[in-house]
Amino acid sequence: MSKNIIKLSQTRTNTFLNCERIDYYDNVLRIEPLQPNMAFEYGKIVHNGVGFLLSKKHLIDETIKKSIGIFHKRVQDLRIAGCVKDEDEQEFAYNELTFPALLKEYASKYKVFVANTKQVCSELRLEHMLTDDIMFVGHVDNIIQNKNRLFLHELKTTRELTMNYIRGIKVSLQVAAYFYFFNEIYDT
């Protein structure tokens, strides 16, 4: 007889702390929200772009084109599902307009870092048993190699860069947990 293992992620923990009912709908009943999370959608396009850039398989213009293509496919899927409102369309257009400049700036500002860094993997799933029936799960944005050392490369995207946002990253339980479990699993 297999026992039920509770899969606990930082996102699920935050959802539970913010609203137990939403946690119940999302994680127990598995009811998918009808509206896309626009910040999440933008984060995905940025993660794809930086991942392609670090993979060294594409030049910057090819990276942008490939990332926008994936984004268009996602937007089309959301439209077909009927869960896109007019303001979402505006957001999609804004994201498509700003993304190329953001990725070009990243490549320029971190030129030495990008040149000396190789992406090892992207969207690495972490799973670590905390107890006999509770497992911590998560997805690390990128594992990168720089100077023969492995690093977590966890990307955070935002439209408003405030001190509270920066303080939140510095004390992010998600990043701390990923760092801890990455080191436990991969013994780095």
Side-chain angles (χ1 to χ4, degrees):
M1 180 172 142
S2 67
K3 61 180 167 181
N4 290 332
I5 294 178
I6 297 170
K7 293 185 177 183
L8 187 61
S9 68
Q10 183 61 39
T11 302
R12 182 171 183 185
T13 302
N14 286 341
T15 301
F16 180 81
L17 292 173
N18 289 327
C19 181
E20 291 179 33
R21 185 175 303 269
I22 290 176
D23 176 65
Y24 178 74
Y25 291 153
D26 286 354
N27 298 302
V28 177
L29 297 179
R30 301 251 182 240
I31 298 173
E32 293 287 325
L34 293 176
Q35 288 305 117
N37 178 326
M38 298 313 292
F40 183 69
E41 297 302 329
Y42 190 70
K44 282 199 271 190
I45 190 176
V46 172
H47 291 187
N48 283 332
V50 171
F52 292 144
L53 190 65
L54 293 175
S55 73
K56 307 283 194 278
K57 294 179 184 169
H58 308 284
L59 299 173
I60 188 71
D61 290 335
E62 294 173 85
T63 294
I64 291 168
K65 185 176 179 179
K66 187 169 174 124
S67 299
I68 294 288
I70 291 170
F71 181 66
H72 284 166
K73 170 80 170 91
R74 174 66 180 151
V75 168
Q76 190 59 30
D77 290 346
L78 290 169
R79 286 180 183 132
I80 290 168
C83 57
V84 176
K85 298 185 289 186
D86 287 342
E87 56 265 25
D88 297 331
E89 292 290 356
Q90 292 173 350
E91 192 78 14
F92 291 144
Y94 179 84
N95 291 344
E96 187 174 352
L97 182 68
T98 60
F99 170 73
L102 181 138
L103 193 62
K104 285 179 180 179
E105 182 62 23
Y106 180 93
S108 173
K109 183 171 178 74
Y110 300 109
K111 181 173 26 179
V112 173
F113 170 78
V114 170
N116 295 318
T117 302
K118 178 177 88 173
Q119 181 188 47
V120 175
C121 66
S122 178
E123 287 297 315
L124 175 70
R125 182 157 176 80
L126 290 179
E127 293 183 345
H128 188 76
M129 293 302 294
L130 298 174
T131 66
D132 287 340
D133 57 355
I134 299 176
M135 176 189 293
F136 175 83
V137 297
H139 282 92
V140 174
D141 291 340
N142 291 293
I143 304 296
I144 58 174
Q145 186 175 18
N146 186 297
K147 298 181 182 175
N148 295 319
R149 294 182 62 202
L150 292 179
F151 295 92
L152 291 176
H153 188 239
E154 191 66 22
L155 299 165
K156 299 295 175 199
T157 55
T158 184
R159 287 243 173 97
E160 297 177 12
L161 192 57
T162 65
M163 285 310 297
N164 284 339
Y165 181 81
I166 294 189
R167 284 186 196 106
I169 292 173
K170 288 181 183 177
V171 296
S172 169
L173 289 176
Q174 176 190 16
V175 174
Y178 287 2
F179 178 77
Y180 174 79
F181 290 119
F182 174 79
N183 285 312
E184 283 290 307
I185 294 168
Y186 295 97
D187 195 31
T188 60

